[in-house]
Amino acid sequence: MSFPRYPKYKYSGVEWLGDVPEGWSIVPLKIAAAVAVSGIDKKLKDDEKRIRFLGTDTVYSSERITPEIELEECSASDEQIRSFTLLAEDVVVTKDSVVPTKIAVVSYVDQPPEQAVCGYHLALVRSHPQRAVGLFLFYSLKSTALASYFLSEARGTTIIGIGGGIIGKAAVPLPAFPEQTAIADFLDRETGKIHELVAEQRRLMELLKEKRQAVISHAVTKGLNPHAPMKPSGIEWLGDVPKHWKVMKLKRVTLSRCDGPFGSGLKSEHYCDEGIRVIRLQNIRSGQFYGRDSAFISPQYYKELGDHSVVPGDLLIAGLGDENHSVGRACVAPSNIGPAMVKADCFRFRLNSKLASASYLALQLSTTANALAGALSTGTTRGRMNLSASETREIVLPPLAEQLDIIEFLETELAKFDTLTDEAQRAIDLLQERRTALISAAVTGQIDVRTAHTENLTS
């Protein structure tokens, strides 16, 4: 990317800022704005007034604060309300985090929600009307230079944080007031274009996800032959299936099955760094085993629990679900699983390999999980299915050779979707990098926005 630059530069005197345009001043943030750390907690107290508050989760997820933002309720004193009520052009900075990369995440108040305050773990930055433009300070705090400063000053192990004094000492390059406005408007316009391009790629990823699921669903419930004679399956939500496929219960092709040990038999305090792998709900994704989240117990304790073993090729079914992960979803234990067992609410089915492919059934069971959840599961906030209900699930089974053909077809087709999805994600990553570079360059004067040809900056 080629940026138009200012005619002359000077050394800022700050190592992580480098050179800035001649004529710009470098000031601590506390000179350009009032910086105050909020102590308003969400715990309710009877002797204080109830009021809505902006919390860290909202700041992490929303760059712009508007009246439509969902807020929680807390209690606060009159003084706290006077000091921390959100106003237009305020900037809110997170000062505590459990994730190092989330130090000093910022949000800008476009339009304040009616009577809402800046909550705990946050600092409120309010620009001085004659010295700084709030939107310019927002973009300044998003620059890589300021991010580097905050990260270098952060302290802590479990909770990593920066104090209000650290935020106030942050060196901010400050051009003349009208130029701050021009830079802020420029960045609003150009980052808006990038935001739209990112949104397009995300819409594409959603369409690819839907199409991918449709291809899987059709293959494992209708087969690959569009001209195959069909028959009613007898299952309302499934409809017709190929005439030569068999409709049966999962237990008909099962050699053995087990649940994990009863709740108190296996707790987090039993886990250790190595030993017998414990397969948990988070490892069972729809048609895929998620191996990054691992837990182990000692071989000695495993022997006390009885047989809950898992070997490569076993079918794994989740007996608990939520809005993001359906109850009844299934996957296959991978070849590199090692010595392993299932935890409570995770079911292991060892299949008759002469009749059924675990890979085929994992996809079919995951595809039909949403339809089945209401019929076979219990629970309100989280769907639950027990082992007995799982083994009575209806499956439609082509001959084994046809199952393997379907798996081979899907491996090829899904690889195409994965490639397109990866390309879309790379495009998003590149656009976000470009956005960060654009912000950092503009607020430190590495772009002269007065002469920038903006059509070249986001293309």
Side-chain angles (χ1 to χ4, degrees):
M1 216 185 301
S2 177
F3 294 141
R5 290 171 60 80
Y6 283 80
K8 292 183 179 180
Y9 286 82
K10 65 180 181 182
Y11 181 55
S12 65
V14 181
E15 182 180 357
W16 40 269
L17 277 178
D19 293 343
V20 297
E22 194 174 71
W24 286 30
S25 58
I26 308 296
V27 301
L29 181 61
K30 64 184 177 182
I31 299 300
V35 180
V37 174
S38 173
I40 298 175
D41 202 348
K42 62 182 178 182
K43 295 177 182 177
L44 298 177
K45 298 178 182 177
D46 293 335
D47 59 339
E48 295 181 335
K49 294 181 179 178
R50 290 176 179 265
I51 192 168
R52 293 185 304 158
F53 80 98
L54 178 70
T56 53
D57 288 346
T58 305
V59 176
Y60 290 150
S61 60
S62 305
E63 278 196 349
R64 298 299 181 102
I65 305 303
T66 65
E68 292 75 31
I69 290 288
E70 291 188 12
L71 302 175
E72 298 179 69
E73 193 176 71
C74 70
S75 60
S77 66
D78 289 337
E79 178 59 32
Q80 287 175 322
I81 293 172
R82 280 194 298 272
S83 301
F84 294 104
T85 294
L86 297 172
L87 304 178
E89 298 189 29
D90 281 345
V91 181
V92 179
V93 184
T94 62
K95 67 182 189 67
D96 300 301
S97 175
V98 295
V99 183
T101 55
K102 286 189 177 291
I103 292 295
V105 177
V106 297
S107 288
Y108 177 73
V109 181
D110 266 333
Q111 301 175 55
E114 185 177 354
Q115 192 73 109
V117 296
C118 173
Y120 196 57
H121 296 302
L122 299 175
L124 187 66
V125 177
R126 182 165 293 162
S127 59
H128 290 306
Q130 304 304 318
R131 296 177 187 168
V133 174
L135 189 56
F136 177 83
L137 292 181
F138 163 71
Y139 282 120
S140 294
L141 288 165
K142 289 185 71 64
S143 69
T144 53
L146 270 294
S148 297
Y149 163 72
F150 289 129
L151 193 58
S152 69
E153 295 292 332
R155 297 292 181 268
T157 52
T158 305
I159 299 294
I160 305 167
I162 50 176
I166 296 298
I167 297 172
K169 290 178 183 177
V172 179
L174 216 58
F177 202 87
E179 196 167 353
Q180 292 180 44
T181 301
I183 292 170
D185 290 345
F186 166 83
L187 287 174
D188 248 13
R189 182 173 63 252
E190 298 307 313
T191 59
K193 294 176 185 177
I194 294 176
H195 177 78
E196 284 303 314
L197 294 172
V198 168
E200 285 178 14
Q201 293 299 316
R202 287 189 171 139
R203 286 193 291 269
L204 172 60
M205 291 175 73
E206 282 300 312
L207 290 173
L208 288 169
K209 182 179 178 181
E210 292 173 9
K211 180 65 175 175
R212 185 183 195 274
Q213 186 54 46
V215 169
I216 294 173
S217 179
H218 189 276
V220 298
T221 60
K222 307 298 180 186
L224 304 180
N225 181 4
H227 305 296
M230 306 295 279
K231 68 177 180 183
S233 66
I235 305 170
E236 182 180 355
W237 46 264
L238 187 57
D240 292 347
V241 297
K243 194 172 183 178
H244 64 289
W245 288 22
K246 295 180 179 180
V247 180
M248 64 183 72
K249 296 186 186 303
L250 177 59
K251 63 182 179 181
R252 287 274 306 278
V253 295
T254 299
L255 298 177
S256 67
R257 69 195 185 26
C258 71
D259 192 353
F262 186 72
S264 59
L266 183 57
K267 299 181 178 178
S268 56
E269 55 259 34
H270 294 123
Y271 294 151
C272 54
D273 293 334
E274 57 183 18
I276 307 298
R277 175 76 178 268
V278 180
I279 294 172
R280 299 174 293 171
L281 286 165
Q282 55 263 50
N283 300 127
I284 305 175
R285 302 281 179 90
S286 293
Q288 295 178 318
F289 182 85
Y290 181 75
R292 293 182 185 176
D293 196 334
S294 58
F296 301 88
I297 62 170
S298 70
Q300 293 77 16
Y301 189 64
Y302 170 73
K303 291 178 182 178
E304 297 178 24
L305 295 173
D307 183 17
H308 305 279
S309 64
V310 172
V311 299
D314 280 346
L315 180 68
L316 305 171
I317 300 177
L320 196 62
D322 55 33
E323 60 182 9
N324 297 315
H325 303 287
S326 299
V327 59
R329 64 193 182 277
C331 68
V332 179
S335 59
N336 62 348
I337 190 68
M341 62 170 290
V342 284
K343 194 176 184 293
D345 294 316
C346 300
F347 312 138
R348 182 268 288 159
F349 282 77
R350 196 157 293 156
L351 306 180
N352 184 338
S353 60
K354 295 180 180 179
L355 299 176
S357 159
S359 296
Y360 172 83
L361 282 181
L363 290 172
Q364 187 180 101
L365 293 171
S366 295
T367 292
T368 60
N370 282 331
L372 265 179
L376 292 180
S377 70
T378 60
T380 52
T381 56
R382 302 188 75 185
R384 185 182 292 275
M385 186 181 295
N386 61 31
L387 182 59
S388 296
S390 293
E391 72 170 0
T392 61
R393 287 179 68 174
E394 299 277 7
I395 58 173
V396 284
L397 212 59
L400 182 60
E402 190 173 348
Q403 295 175 47
L404 299 178
D405 286 343
I406 290 172
I407 292 301
E408 183 178 358
F409 165 80
L410 287 175
E411 285 176 350
T412 301
E413 292 302 303
L414 299 186
K416 298 175 184 176
F417 286 109
D418 291 343
T419 297
L420 292 172
T421 300
D422 289 345
E423 289 175 357
Q425 185 59 57
R426 282 194 293 272
I428 289 173
D429 293 343
L430 180 60
L431 285 165
Q432 290 177 332
E433 288 173 10
R434 188 164 294 184
R435 181 178 187 269
T436 299
L438 190 63
I439 291 171
S440 297
V443 298
T444 58
Q446 307 312 303
I447 301 176
D448 185 348
V449 303
R450 301 168 299 182
T451 59
H453 296 290
T454 58
E455 65 274 10
N456 297 326
L457 298 178
T458 55
S459 61

